[in-house]
Amino acid sequence: MTILWPDVLKDASCSPPELRNAARGGGASFTGAEQQVYSDAGRWEISYKVPVRNRAQRLAWRALIARLREGEPIFAKVFDKDRAKGFNGAAPAAALSASAAARATTISLAAANLAVEAGVHLTIGQRLYRVKEVTAYTPAASIHQQLITDGPWSDSAVWVDDGSQPAAYTLKITPPLREAAANGATVDFVNLVCLCVQASDDGNGDLALDNASTGTPTLKLVEY
């Protein structure tokens, strides 16, 4: 089975996910030149610091580490302060507006209340991706929201009473899609997860407690 991140450990913090093992070189030749090979796969690496302060957290941590050390994968939560935001405080929502093949590096989105910038993360099918570039953006063809939010009026906008034409984005992402995704598939910019396994079991995740009560173990995961 795949582990779900325990809710009781929700105060965990993590370093920004980093993509590893994308390029390798064999060293410089006698001329000083070096040839490198590039893999468009790579894999994510995420490090956590997890506050453990009470009995429920201690037991949850023990169970989590036991399962990870038996080789079970986990839907690792990505705690990212710089997530994509929604307009006017609304929850961002997006879906693929065209099917995308496995290993694709460009995707098209239909988005509602979403401001996408290069550098933000997204999840498709429990896999994590990073936006490298916003190559195209078409605003939603509606101005009805200005009447509700007191936003600036735009005489050039098209009136659509039901707001049924969402904004459109074309994004370059990394790594390439791990698997094919169908038109309409959910693209999540809020509940970020990455399918991972434990990086190693050599002390990784050990829980050292002060006064047999509190501790802050560290855990390193790699994409599965």
Side-chain angles (χ1 to χ4, degrees):
M1 294 180 63
T2 302
I3 306 167
L4 299 178
W5 188 273
D7 288 338
V8 72
L9 301 175
K10 62 184 178 181
D11 292 330
S13 63
C14 72
S15 60
E18 298 294 348
L19 198 61
R20 305 293 191 193
N21 303 326
R24 285 290 183 269
S29 68
F30 69 92
T31 64
E34 180 180 8
Q35 187 175 30
Q36 290 191 330
V37 293
Y38 173 72
S39 166
D40 63 0
R43 63 177 183 174
W44 289 108
E45 183 179 277
I46 311 173
S47 298
Y48 295 85
K49 290 186 178 180
V50 185
V52 174
R53 299 290 182 262
N54 54 51
R55 173 183 169 84
Q57 291 176 334
R58 289 192 296 271
L59 295 180
W61 186 258
R62 291 177 188 173
L64 173 64
I65 294 301
R67 295 179 67 180
L68 285 171
R69 289 178 177 174
E70 289 180 348
E72 288 189 63
I74 182 173
F75 291 135
K77 284 193 174 183
V78 178
F79 301 94
D80 188 356
K81 182 178 180 181
D82 296 314
R83 294 177 298 184
K85 298 181 179 180
F87 295 119
N88 302 314
L96 291 181
S97 58
S99 297
R103 301 175 67 85
T105 56
T106 299
I107 59 174
S108 299
L109 305 184
N113 296 311
L114 177 65
V116 181
E117 302 168 90
V120 301
H121 294 112
L122 58 94
T123 291
I124 303 175
Q126 313 301 339
R127 295 288 188 171
L128 185 70
Y129 303 95
R130 179 177 293 170
V131 176
K132 293 194 298 184
E133 185 180 353
V134 179
T135 58
Y137 168 60
T138 303
S142 173
I143 61 171
H144 74 289
Q145 291 178 352
Q146 271 83 345
L147 303 179
I148 301 172
T149 62
D150 287 334
W153 190 275
S154 174
D155 289 330
S156 63
V158 178
W159 184 277
V160 180
D161 287 333
D162 63 2
S164 59
Q165 291 181 259
Y169 284 93
T170 302
L171 309 175
K172 288 186 177 180
I173 61 170
T174 188
L177 283 181
R178 300 310 196 192
E179 57 188 8
N183 182 11
T186 298
V187 182
D188 200 330
F189 287 84
V190 178
N191 302 301
L192 302 171
V193 297
C194 184
L195 184 62
C196 290
V197 292
Q198 192 178 26
S200 71
D201 60 3
D202 185 14
N204 185 26
D206 284 359
L207 177 57
L209 296 174
D210 294 329
N211 299 319
S213 179
T214 64
T216 306
T218 59
L219 176 66
K220 182 177 287 187
L221 301 176
V222 293
E223 186 179 8
Y224 180 52

